[in-house]
Amino acid sequence: MDVKEAAGFSRTINHITSTYRKILLNPSYKYLFLLLGAPVHLVVFFVYMIQRNHDAYTAVVNRLRNEWLSSGYHLKLQEEIQDQLRRKAEFFQQQLSSEKLKRETERLAEQKFQEQLHDEAIKEMQLNGQSRLTFADTFESLIRRSAFFAISWIPGLLMYLMIILYSYPLLKFISERLVMTWFVILGVSVLVFSILYMSPMNPAANILGVTATQEQIEAFNRLHGLDQSYWAQLWNTLKGIFTFDLGKSFSGNEQVTDSIARKFPITLTLTVISLLIAMIIAIPIGIISATRKNSFWDYSFMFIALLGLSIPNFWQGLIFILGFSINLKWLPATYSPGNWLSMIMPVIVLGTALTASVARMTRSSTLEVIHEDYILTAKAKGISSRQVLRRHAVRNALIPIVTVIGLQFGAMLGGAAVTEKVFNISGIGGYIVDKQFIPDIPAVMGGVVYTAITISIVNVMIDMMYAFLDPRIRSRMKQY
Amino acid sequence: MIKKNLQQSQQDRFRLKSSPEYSQANFTWVVSLALALVLLLNSFAWGSLEVRPVILVLFILYTLFTLGQGALTYQIRRDLTRHGEIRPATRRWGYAGLLSLLTGNVFLTVASFNLIKKQKSPEYTISVYMLLTQIFVIALSSLNMFKPYVSNGFLPGMGILIAVTVFHLTALLLVAKYAHQHVLPARLKWLALPLLLTAATGNLFAVVLGLSLLSKIRRSANPGATRWADVWIKITSNHTAMLGMFFIIFLFTISVSSLLTFEYSFAVDNNYSAILQSPSLTYPLGTDDFGRCLYSRIVFGARISLIVGFMSTLIPVIIGGILGAISGYYGRHTDNIIMRALDILYAIPGILLAIAIIAAFGANTFNLIIALSVGAIPTYARTMRANVLMVSTYEYVDAARAFGSSHLSIIFKHIVPNSLAPMIVKSTLTIGGAVIATSSLSYLGLGVEPHIPEWGNILKIGSTYLETNSYLAIYPGLAIIALVLSFNFLGDGLRDALDPKLD
């Protein structure tokens, strides 16, 4: 091993050990970490227990104890404490039996003796520039031996992975977010399942009709596993969600996940296109409104935006169909995949509310940003106002806008149910609405949960975007 | 010379900007023009190519008033630039503008009322809107006279409404004469008590006016404005917020007074002799496929929309507020557990959660309210938590803690009252969303029971007659938009008044 390599190795070790110490300081990560690297930690602990008995601190304490014991210091301490206790008892007019007094004295004296011993030892070690051996010290000394380092990767792979994740703030943030998302998805699945399980409705009777016999209903329930206990059904459903197999729907005899996989892309395409168009329209409008505050354009744009927020999707869709399909005959009234003309109306209807709220948000956040001190500084430097706006204002105003887009994306995926029914689009929203009348529990469940999962993933991506957009957030992340 | 000119133009611009009459006059003629254009477009039946005389006359009247308002705006502008203030002669033109009330142009009427009086106390503005609400309710109720029969309570109902209106007019005149910015004669308290009683017709402006008179009389010895008085001054000077509030209270009043003056059977009973009729005097907005009067249905539908909208905002505000306050105050593990649990609710889009709940428990009004409420809890909890986190760092909270107050009393006496303002703003801004969600779910067949006249239900029927009887879908939609827009305007105004930084 040449010098350069050795330096590199030592740097890696330093990096690992400093992260190791940091993790042990963090109470919420400590136990998970100890558990993940249990085999390695056991070895380290064993070595630590041995080394502890021979470290500098133990030596000093032992020496001091011998000195104090031989000088009779502990007897003096005992007398002092006994005196104090007696006087205290006198003051409060309590009767103390001699035996109790003796026991109490010994306990307090021992406690005080140990305390003073510890303090004195620490003080002396500080004077000599030594410190007490810790668990992390042992780990460090062990890991410096390349043999231990190499072998410990086998049982401690998880532990090292965690150390790597922890040592990069962005990675740590992302993995924390992903873990949270996983729990949210699990929670959503359990919640939606429980709501549908509590349903007082009887799908079997609904589907089989009034003439169904008791045996037919029982057979139906057995076929779809409705006769099992809550926990068994919950387990099957959760397994189904994570393995993309929710079984067959109650009516129509189709694989639920297949239907969802067929319908979901349609909804997602529409939503993403509306999202893009909304951003292209709304952000410039918001910036124009903010830079010309209280002008005619500002008032008009903001009034139109407020109007856009107040129009129900389905009404807007109906009016569009009435105007552009029935009266003017320009656009087809129903959506058919592949015909981009039929896409125009649904995209506009779906995107109206988003355009309106993004425009309003852009206006208010730009207004807030252009009163900040750094904008004044930029202007004072002599940068043209267009440049100031582009380089400093808009970039910093983007954070709240991104938040609104993230929030609205969920609302759009949900609201798509209404738009899809108006334009007769066979997307996921319309599917859920159709199936809930039965109620087709696996289909409703799958539709709602997969939509929620998509939204959660989008939210994770939005959170990551913050870090790329705003250096302030990035630096705050590193301070952890 | 040039410098003087520049100074002059700057001064002019400032005067024009700071004059509420000028900005309102501008706003009014633009809106009147827009309304006139809408009437013009509708005065001509495009399908059968014939002129609708009633709407054409209305269009001409609107155009005349718009021209008058335009001229008046120019006059105000000239007054402000030449004299620095609006001359009394110009203000007197406001009396002519009051005639626009006959055409139902509420924008122009309000602008005229504001022009007439130079010193406007909030009480004056509120009493103007109170009177307008009453007049509009009477006008809409009297349309029922053209029906084959009226409800049993129609005559006494109209009698009460007219009596109340006369009283409100007296109140307006008294307030205009005696109520000044800060001092009020104590005699006016004899006006306040009956005003509170007239609120039984649903006119909540009367409550606001009565309470504000009483509190002003009580404070007249000590003219320092409290925070709420300040808020009222700001809101009453915000035209759009007041117009929003006017429409909401107007709808509420007509929902209450429709108990007497409207006949419920026209809205729900089938009448096969009058199926799918176009708008006429008997059926002002036409009839649907069961011969039910669309006008009555929309009026009765306002009740459901308001109730569902309010309830499905109030319930999550209370539950979310309590959860947010607890998690913000106690912090650490409590906070973590509550907020993580709410994150789960937050991940499901409101409409989809509502659909799932309704799929499980069936479609009816009660389930609809619950379904809409559950999805909205996390947003309110987050708002409340953020406020509580901020407020609990204030010194008066430390002081209360030092006095040995219990946690509960600190939360409910000190923290919650001081973090309510953003919650109020948030709830007025989102109540419109609840109204839209209600009607959307009804449109999908998941909301209110189909036989109840609710705006979404009416629209659902209307959507099947889009080609032949499109008014069945247009009018209820306009009603929904007007209500939601009103809530949004009011919410924006409240936000500006309570917390200008919040968005």
Side-chain angles (χ1 to χ4, degrees), chain A residues 60 117-130:
Chain A
V60 174
L117 209 56
H118 178 76
D119 289 349
E120 193 63 33
I122 294 287
K123 214 188 281 171
E124 202 174 308
M125 281 171 73
Q126 264 173 4
L127 280 181
N128 300 337
Q130 293 169 308

Side-chain angles (χ1 to χ4, degrees), chain A residues 63-352:
Chain A
R63 183 170 51 76
L64 281 177
R65 185 198 300 271
N66 287 336
E67 273 175 24
W68 287 359
L69 281 179
S70 57
S71 68
Y73 180 70
H74 72 293
L75 290 177
K76 214 172 94 191
L77 212 66
Q78 266 183 10
E79 257 170 48
E80 228 172 67
I81 286 171
Q82 196 171 20
D83 193 41
Q84 276 172 8
L85 279 176
R86 198 178 293 124
R87 264 190 276 167
K88 187 174 150 195
E90 257 171 45
F91 183 80
F92 288 109
Q93 294 171 345
Q94 284 170 333
Q95 289 295 323
L96 267 181
S97 66
S98 62
E99 198 191 334
K100 200 176 173 188
L101 184 73
K102 200 178 158 202
R103 237 189 303 131
E104 191 71 12
T105 312
E106 263 169 22
R107 192 179 64 82
L108 284 174
E110 184 59 30
Q111 200 181 333
K112 199 157 182 193
F113 188 72
Q114 291 292 349
E115 262 171 39
Q116 284 181 349
L117 209 56
H118 178 76
D119 289 349
E120 193 63 33
I122 294 287
K123 214 188 281 171
E124 202 174 308
M125 281 171 73
Q126 264 173 4
L127 280 181
N128 300 337
Q130 293 169 308
S131 65
R132 200 178 171 186
L133 184 80
T134 62
F135 189 72
D137 289 337
T138 316
F139 178 76
E140 187 174 348
S141 67
L142 279 175
I143 208 177
R144 283 199 185 282
R145 298 176 197 179
S146 12
F148 179 85
F149 183 63
I151 294 170
S152 68
W153 270 89
I154 301 163
L157 185 66
L158 288 172
M159 179 189 83
Y160 282 113
L161 275 180
M162 189 169 165
I163 287 178
I164 291 170
L165 281 183
Y166 201 93
S167 56
Y168 297 98
L170 201 64
L171 264 181
K172 176 183 169 230
F173 172 75
I174 291 172
S175 46
E176 271 174 0
R177 264 321 254 109
L178 286 176
V179 170
M180 292 279 295
T181 311
W182 207 85
F183 277 108
V184 166
I185 291 171
L186 200 68
V188 167
S189 315
V190 173
L191 177 76
V192 176
F193 174 79
S194 307
I195 289 173
L196 291 171
Y197 180 84
M198 283 188 289
S199 165
M201 291 194 199
N202 188 350
N206 261 0
I207 292 165
L208 301 174
V210 277
T211 54
T213 59
Q214 192 57 40
E215 282 127 48
Q216 278 174 319
I217 289 179
E218 269 167 27
F220 179 90
N221 284 347
R222 205 171 321 117
L223 182 66
H224 293 286
L226 292 179
D227 52 347
Q228 292 169 7
S229 71
Y230 171 79
W231 295 109
Q233 286 190 46
L234 178 64
W235 174 244
N236 285 335
T237 312
L238 289 184
K239 216 165 58 184
I241 284 169
F242 289 103
T243 56
F244 298 103
D245 175 26
L246 279 168
K248 289 197 166 122
S249 66
F250 286 179
S251 69
N253 198 27
E254 50 187 14
Q255 285 291 327
V256 171
T257 30
D258 286 353
S259 318
I260 291 177
R262 254 198 331 277
K263 288 164 195 293
F264 205 77
I266 299 175
T267 305
L268 208 60
T269 317
L270 282 179
T271 326
V272 170
I273 293 175
S274 335
L275 189 79
L276 291 179
I277 291 178
M279 273 157 62
I280 292 171
I281 298 172
I283 293 179
I285 284 182
I287 293 171
I288 291 172
S289 293
T291 46
R292 304 195 184 139
K293 200 187 163 197
N294 293 338
S295 68
F296 174 73
W297 288 113
D298 180 25
Y299 283 133
S300 316
F301 282 144
M302 286 308 116
F303 178 74
I304 294 171
L306 208 56
L307 203 63
L309 279 182
S310 312
I311 296 183
N313 270 354
F314 61 98
W315 192 77
Q316 196 189 359
L318 288 175
I319 294 300
F320 273 20
I321 291 176
L322 179 65
F324 296 114
S325 304
I326 297 177
N327 287 346
L328 295 171
K329 300 195 170 47
W330 285 352
L331 299 168
T334 51
Y335 171 80
S336 51
N339 181 1
W340 64 270
L341 270 180
S342 70
M343 222 177 193
I344 296 177
M345 289 199 294
V347 162
I348 294 176
V349 168
L350 208 52
T352 306

Side-chain angles (χ1 to χ4, degrees), chain A residues 180 183-184 186-189 191-192 195-201 293-294 296 303 306-307 309-315 317-319 321-322 326 360-361 364-365 368 407 410-411 413-415 417-418 421-422 429 432-433 436-437 439 444 447-448 451-453 455-456 459, chain B residues 17 23 27 30 340 343-353 355-363 374 382 429 436 439-441 443-446 455-456 459-460 462-463 466-467 470-471 473-478 480-482 484-486 488-489 492 495 501-503:
Chain A
M180 292 279 295
F183 277 108
V184 166
L186 200 68
V188 167
S189 315
L191 177 76
V192 176
I195 289 173
L196 291 171
Y197 180 84
M198 283 188 289
S199 165
M201 291 194 199
K293 200 187 163 197
N294 293 338
F296 174 73
F303 178 74
L306 208 56
L307 203 63
L309 279 182
S310 312
I311 296 183
N313 270 354
F314 61 98
W315 192 77
L318 288 175
I319 294 300
I321 291 176
L322 179 65
I326 297 177
R360 276 162 63 94
M361 199 45 165
S364 63
S365 71
E368 204 159 293
L407 288 179
L413 271 184
V418 182
K421 288 309 284 181
V422 174
I432 299 172
V433 173
Q436 69 80 35
F437 284 105
V444 175
V448 175
T451 311
I453 289 176
I455 292 168
S456 305
N459 283 337
Chain B
K17 260 193 178 168
S23 65
F27 169 77
V30 171
R340 293 298 84 78
D343 274 352
I344 293 170
L345 271 186
Y346 200 64
I348 313 174
I351 290 265
L352 288 190
L353 184 65
I355 292 177
I357 292 176
I358 288 167
F361 299 102
V374 171
R382 285 182 176 202
L429 280 173
I436 289 186
S439 54
S440 302
L441 286 172
Y443 173 78
L444 294 176
L446 306 172
W455 291 348
L459 250 166
K460 185 180 168 61
S463 67
L466 207 55
E467 281 179 75
S470 48
Y471 59 86
I474 292 178
Y475 293 128
L478 289 179
I480 296 173
I481 294 178
V484 177
L485 203 57
S486 303
N488 283 337
F489 276 137
D492 274 0
R495 184 193 58 204
K501 278 206 78 166
L502 195 103
D503 200 12

